[in-house]
Amino acid sequence: MSDVSLEALRRRTFAIISHPDAGKTTLTEKLLLFGGAIQMAGSVKGRKAARHATSDWMALEKERGISVTSSVMQFPYEGRIVNLLDTPGHADFGEDTYRVLTAVDSALMVIDVAKGVEERTIKLMEVCRLRDTPIMTFINKLDREGKPPIELLDEVESVLGIQCAPVTWPIGMGQRLKGVVHLVTGEVHLYEAGRNFSRQDSTIFASIDDPALEERIGADMLAELRDELELVQGASHPFDPAAYLAGKQTPVFFGSAVNNFGVQLLLDFFVEHAPSPKPRATTSREVAPYETHLSGFVFKIQANMDPQHRDRVAFMRICSGKFTAGMKAFHPRSGKEVKLANALTFMASDREIAESAWPGDVIGIHNHGTISIGDSFSEGEMLSFTGIPNFAPELFRRARLRDPLKLKQLQKGLAQLSEEGATQFFRPLMSNDLILGAVGMLQFDVVAYRLKDEYGVDASFEQVNVATARWIRCADAKKLEEFRDRNAMNLAFDAAGELVYLAPTRVNLQLAQERAPDVQFLATREHA
Ligand code: G4P
């Protein structure tokens, strides 16, 4: 087998999806602990603080207790290389998260045992479903009282529409939590409060029939457990690898992230069963990970990671071949060769210079605004990966300058922030307005804050008469021109120069569509 096949096969690239507060940060830290990436548990706060320090504007993140940025963490585990792509946590941040999910091969869903399936989880699940992303589930905070486990499985099945296959099953909960049973191996792992915190060294029994177990958990609890297991095995589904890989079934684990309980069982199962990188579609053909030539796409741009240097980092997910430090890659959109010097890899704690990277890995490419979200890279071939969406914004504001002399900076700031995906930016054909679009309200606050902090521009945003936007496509150039002439008042260019219809009302949009049957009105734009 070639090096690239071997390396691709051992990659596991995933993201955690959850509602804020379910325990994503805590679980991330425990996973990193097993990967040897960090030595000490209990430093969630420290890690958050360290991240804040990387950029001043993240003070906003701190003030609001939200995570605006995503990062990438890589760690080795049991012969595999795990890449964990962090997603922004706040409910208002749609687009950024969606695009991270296009760059992973699977996802891990964290659910709070007391709260069950929450709104944000539902939304993220919908996104995963677009690509049939395989999902594992971790039901967290078992050290607290929560909903009965069977009820939770029912909830996942009915609300999220995915079959559940419990892999571990809890013995008690809250004060009565005694451990979990592994339904595949039959082993019982005891929970000993305080003991599992930094390492997973729980007492293990080979099966529930081990006489020593009864001594530890008591005859009543054991009897209760036997009844419950009978019920569960009758009512739920056994793990089916094919159904999991097709995104139809989710293996379910129970545990407590903060106590590091049940986490290693999850991780062991994850590295064994989660998918390695799969072939990816481009506009011309499917690209297989084991191909020898490097290819990848950019799913995220982060500007000004260091306010001292106006650098921008483009996060590229590698889809095939091998990346070597300093190599040149072809950037099909500009038609130019780009030297990938000083690319970053993301070993959990620090950014460091990448020597090599393989399919499933993410590298960070420094640039000065030449690379956009959705851009592909290759070795010479005109490749363009598909499926990295821009969503039609639902909220619109007109940018207003307090100091008119700063117009240039404002334009530059908005263009860069929109390339980065922080907002969408439209320029009407018939006016000099600068219109911002967002999927969530908080995006405007972030943009205002960053404009001031990074570009020295004091801007406010005011109401504008736009209700929704659609990207315009038309195969017939003549019809497109007619459409443009007739609708110039409602048309604008987005930051990438694509034509967009800005509708003042939904009714107006509907009428415009009816009057121009040959024109397509698209609610998402794939990055060209
Ligand atoms: P998030 O990234 O999904 O937003 O969640 P995060 O890990 O920050 O966890 C949210 C809160 O839930 C934290 O408490 C965290 O300690 C707690 N938590 C995480 N896992 C467990 C668990 O297994 N059991 C219990 N009981 N709590 C858990 P916090 O009060 O916000 O912070 P802290 O003061 O505890 O650090």
Side-chain angles (χ1 to χ4, degrees), residues 20-26 45 48 140-141 143-144 256-258:
D21 262 358
K24 185 181 74 175
T25 312
T26 312
K45 289 271 161 61
K48 278 184 180 168
N140 190 28
K141 308 195 186 182
D143 58 315
R144 287 196 191 156
S256 166
V258 80

